[in-house]
Amino acid sequence: GQQLNQSPQSMFIQEGEDVSMNCTSSSIFNTWLWYKQDPGEGPVLLIALYKAGELTSNGRLTAQFGITRKDSFLNISASIPSDVGIYFCAGPKNNNDMRFGAGTRLTVKP
Amino acid sequence: DSGVTQTPKHLITATGQRVTLRCSPRSGDLSVYWYQQSLDQGLQFLIQYYNGEERAKGNILERFSAQQFPDLHSELNLSSLELGDSALYFCASSVEAGVLSNEQFFGPGTRLTVL
């Protein structure tokens, strides 16, 4: 089963609004990854975080690796319609086993 | 386009049957991962191959098996299919062997429907 708890499960927002989603775990992870999946496509890596406390940006996306190493958040600023999709957090349980959260489904209304 | 290709895109079959899904990694990537994505279980890691050898196993059933060939393409074999095997199956590839600090590139997936 999954060990990453992702919330919210879904979000409906207006274009231009900011979005925040997060991922928590009862276990420590040494790497946090955020992926986006468009309908009919495979997940695409958005941001990778490798160090506790790290804050990384990729355009309008910003993600942080929590200090406790048990959580991470992803923010999207000034959302646009193409931000629609499912966002997954992921982390390697060990060097060979990647775990994924259940995903946050984002809908952006123009 | 991630550079990872998967065939077929869609597959419809009956219970009890056997199917083979195919994946070609990005040029230069030695590692191939297989994932299953279903509505109730989310994205689950199945198995990983690195340069032709099995590297790691996740939640893969005994009815499922995989292999990676000398040209680095990989096949996932699913046998004695059950209704619950209906899912999207993704292949991902990466340059290195471990998932730590290692970006995986996902293919477009194969949608398997078992009737």
Side-chain angles (χ1 to χ4, degrees):
Chain A
Q2 294 170 11
Q3 298 181 329
L4 299 181
N5 302 305
Q6 196 170 343
S7 64
Q9 201 169 23
S10 60
M11 301 183 76
F12 295 83
I13 62 169
Q14 207 70 38
E15 183 178 358
E17 289 182 359
D18 296 343
V19 172
S20 186
M21 59 191 81
N22 68 76
C23 205
T24 61
S25 173
S26 56
S27 310
I28 286 174
F29 280 82
N30 292 315
T31 299
W32 284 93
L33 306 168
W34 285 94
Y35 285 85
K36 183 192 177 203
Q37 185 176 17
D38 290 329
E41 303 288 332
V44 174
L45 182 66
L46 299 174
I47 291 180
L49 302 159
Y50 301 114
K51 197 170 153 184
E54 181 180 354
L55 184 73
T56 296
S57 293
N58 178 6
R60 293 178 296 105
L61 277 59
T62 302
Q64 184 157 30
F65 191 147
I67 290 289
T68 64
R69 293 194 283 156
K70 292 184 179 181
D71 63 326
S72 175
F73 71 74
L74 174 71
N75 287 341
I76 305 173
S77 62
S79 58
I80 59 178
S82 62
D83 290 335
V84 164
I86 303 177
Y87 292 79
F88 292 97
C89 61
K93 182 64 182 160
N94 53 47
N95 202 31
N96 298 306
D97 185 359
M98 186 71 79
R99 299 296 173 95
F100 285 80
T104 293
R105 184 179 294 272
L106 179 64
T107 302
V108 180
K109 290 180 277 190
Chain B
D1 185 352
S2 66
V4 178
T5 60
Q6 287 187 250
T7 56
K9 195 158 176 68
H10 300 278
L11 197 49
I12 301 174
T13 188
T15 55
Q17 295 298 305
R18 172 191 168 94
V19 297
T20 297
L21 312 183
R22 183 188 167 104
C23 168
S24 292
R26 288 188 325 155
S27 177
D29 284 358
L30 299 178
S31 204
V32 169
Y33 310 78
W34 285 98
Y35 292 86
Q36 180 193 58
Q37 186 177 39
S38 59
L39 282 173
D40 57 343
Q41 291 291 320
L43 205 56
Q44 300 274 318
F45 167 67
L46 296 178
I47 196 165
Q48 179 202 1
Y49 277 79
Y50 177 76
N51 204 20
E53 294 191 3
E54 182 183 302
R55 178 81 178 193
K57 266 187 175 179
N59 296 323
I60 188 166
L61 300 172
E62 284 192 15
R63 300 183 285 108
F64 296 179
S65 65
Q67 52 185 329
Q68 187 178 27
F69 295 86
D71 67 353
L72 301 176
H73 91 269
S74 178
E75 291 181 355
L76 178 67
N77 302 298
L78 314 176
S79 61
S80 303
L81 285 167
E82 301 174 0
L83 295 177
D85 297 328
S86 296
L88 267 168
Y89 290 84
F90 287 105
C91 164
S93 74
S94 66
V95 173
E96 297 170 9
V99 299
L100 288 173
S101 304
N102 190 8
E103 180 171 353
Q104 295 180 27
F105 294 85
F106 281 78
T110 292
R111 181 174 292 280
L112 174 66
T113 303
V114 182
L115 300 174

